[in-house]
Amino acid sequence: MATAAGLSIKRIAAHQQHSVPLLVLSETAQQTALPLMEAMVREGLGHGLGIVAVCLEQLLSRDIMCQPKVALVDCRPTMAQIGDGSAFLPNGTRRIDLARLDSDVCSQIERISAVSGGFVVVIDDLEPLLNISQVDTLALLRKFRSVAKQSQSSRILARYSRDTANQHADKGGSHLPLVPNVLQSIADAVVDVYRMDVLGSWMPGWYSNGEVQPFVSLGDNDERQGLLRLEHRRQSGKVGYELAAFEINEQQRPVFSAVKAVAAVEPLSAATAGPDPRQHLPFNLDLTDKQRQDRADVELPYLEAQAGEIHYQMAEEDDWDEDDPDDDLEI
């Protein structure tokens, strides 16, 4: 198991791993990836990178938005648009002009790159874009990734929900998990975020005491710490996987550590196993050594039959004909 110093996610978050132009953070209803995403943004600011914040649901934290190297692409609906209904299409989907979004992001990238050594485009939620068009959204990610790849230190950081991503189906009617599969194929790294105690359900007896864990909702856990699973596609074509724990410290920066397993659950001893259910039976279920040997020496009749051969003696009325019996049929 990798040590904390050797974790790939630690190097990626600290922008020491430059082969990750597109990093996707996926979350569930039980564990949000927003605190981890914002902590990675602060790491980028600490390295002198400019930030292009694409906000579709909410603004990033105040300490991030007030930085001079942060440019905002605000796609949130206004109260007036929500009031008159212009913020949504007839089917309830958010009304977002993807072509304008593309133009605005590229303009902000150009402006930020002029005053910093690189940039990080942060997309706070892919869900509204995927609801409009999966194909166009994935095409945008590919385009932004190609732009970020031109600069060694630049990156696209996007967040999406695994719970709703599997509900998307393409227009052809397929029910395969299209979005997660395509995201994993075009992203250089995917970080799946979980609550910390999920290992108990993954590996009972190794990461827990084996007891069934109750369902934990987002409000029942600490969103500033959790478990992550990294899938990193390297330039060589190899795919690396990593399991680590993360915590957001007092300086609002991410701290990563290797996951430590607890001792495996010991089998129940004779003292704690309870009474023997066979002790009050009117018959004996145990065999003596002689009974076991006698049972092993018995030759079962079907085994003897399997070892034999079948011989067929033709009778006088039998007609051995090698011709095809269906020759007279016009097939």
Side-chain angles (χ1 to χ4, degrees):
M1 183 176 294
T3 61
L7 291 174
S8 296
I9 185 59
K10 183 177 181 180
R11 297 192 299 271
I12 292 174
H15 292 268
Q16 298 172 352
Q17 187 90 30
H18 300 304
S19 60
V20 189
L22 176 56
L23 174 61
V24 175
L25 299 179
S26 70
E27 63 183 20
T28 67
Q30 297 180 343
Q31 186 72 39
T32 176
L34 182 60
L36 179 60
M37 184 183 72
E38 291 188 337
M40 289 184 174
V41 171
R42 295 185 184 97
E43 287 285 344
L45 288 170
H47 285 78
L49 302 178
I51 306 297
V52 179
V54 182
C55 298
L56 296 112
E57 296 292 342
Q58 63 186 38
L59 293 178
L60 301 181
S61 296
R62 185 183 299 273
D63 66 296
I64 296 176
M65 299 305 301
C66 68
Q67 297 295 323
K69 289 188 177 181
V70 175
L72 173 63
V73 178
D74 196 350
C75 300
R76 298 172 301 158
T78 64
M79 292 302 298
Q81 291 173 334
I82 296 176
D84 61 21
S86 61
F88 301 94
L89 297 173
N91 61 359
T93 302
R94 284 270 301 278
R95 191 187 299 273
I96 301 175
D97 189 342
L98 295 181
R100 181 178 177 180
L101 173 63
D102 182 7
S103 176
D104 291 346
V105 171
C106 291
S107 297
Q108 295 292 4
I109 288 176
E110 185 177 355
R111 186 178 70 84
I112 285 293
S113 299
V115 297
S116 59
F119 63 86
V120 178
V121 176
V122 185
I123 305 176
D124 73 325
D125 192 1
L126 288 174
E127 180 68 16
L129 303 180
L130 292 170
N131 283 334
I132 297 172
S133 173
Q134 297 176 19
V135 175
D136 292 342
T137 299
L138 296 171
L140 272 181
L141 288 177
R142 289 191 182 95
K143 178 180 179 179
F144 294 158
R145 178 186 178 274
S146 65
V147 175
K149 197 173 182 180
Q150 298 173 10
S151 173
Q152 188 179 23
S153 58
S154 297
R155 176 176 298 168
I156 310 300
L157 181 59
R159 168 174 159 251
Y160 89 108
S161 172
R162 296 193 301 276
D163 293 332
T164 57
N166 290 327
Q167 299 174 7
H168 291 287
D170 59 359
K171 294 181 180 179
S174 173
H175 295 284
L176 295 175
L178 174 66
V179 173
N181 289 345
V182 177
L183 278 178
Q184 288 179 353
S185 66
I186 67 176
D188 301 279
V190 176
V191 176
D192 297 328
V193 179
Y194 302 89
R195 69 180 194 273
M196 179 57 72
D197 62 348
V198 76
L199 280 176
S201 60
W202 286 356
M203 303 177 186
W206 184 248
Y207 290 100
S208 76
N209 60 3
E211 296 180 356
V212 178
Q213 302 294 323
F215 179 84
V216 178
S217 65
L218 183 59
D220 296 329
N221 59 27
D222 186 357
E223 62 182 20
R224 296 175 58 83
Q225 64 179 356
L227 191 75
L228 62 84
R229 176 185 178 274
L230 169 68
E231 179 178 329
H232 182 200
R233 298 181 181 274
R234 297 177 174 84
Q235 293 180 341
S236 62
K238 295 182 179 179
V239 180
Y241 300 91
E242 189 172 86
L243 191 65
F246 74 90
E247 183 178 2
I248 312 302
N249 62 17
E250 295 180 357
Q251 290 74 36
Q252 307 298 316
R253 299 297 180 88
V255 178
F256 302 97
S257 59
V259 177
K260 297 180 180 179
V262 299
V265 176
E266 297 293 337
L268 294 177
S269 63
T272 60
D276 188 353
R278 302 173 300 174
Q279 61 184 351
H280 299 299
L281 293 178
F283 50 86
N284 187 13
L285 291 177
D286 295 325
L287 296 178
T288 64
D289 293 340
K290 183 177 184 307
Q291 289 173 331
R292 292 191 183 93
Q293 184 62 41
D294 291 343
R295 185 177 64 177
D297 292 339
V298 174
E299 291 188 6
L300 301 178
Y302 65 87
L303 292 177
E304 182 180 358
Q306 290 177 355
E309 298 180 356
I310 298 177
H311 298 277
Y312 179 74
Q313 183 70 31
M314 292 184 61
E316 295 181 357
E317 62 272 13
D318 291 336
D319 181 15
W320 186 266
D321 190 353
E322 296 182 356
D323 294 335
D324 188 355
D326 297 329
D327 281 344
D328 59 333
L329 301 177
E330 297 180 358
I331 299 177

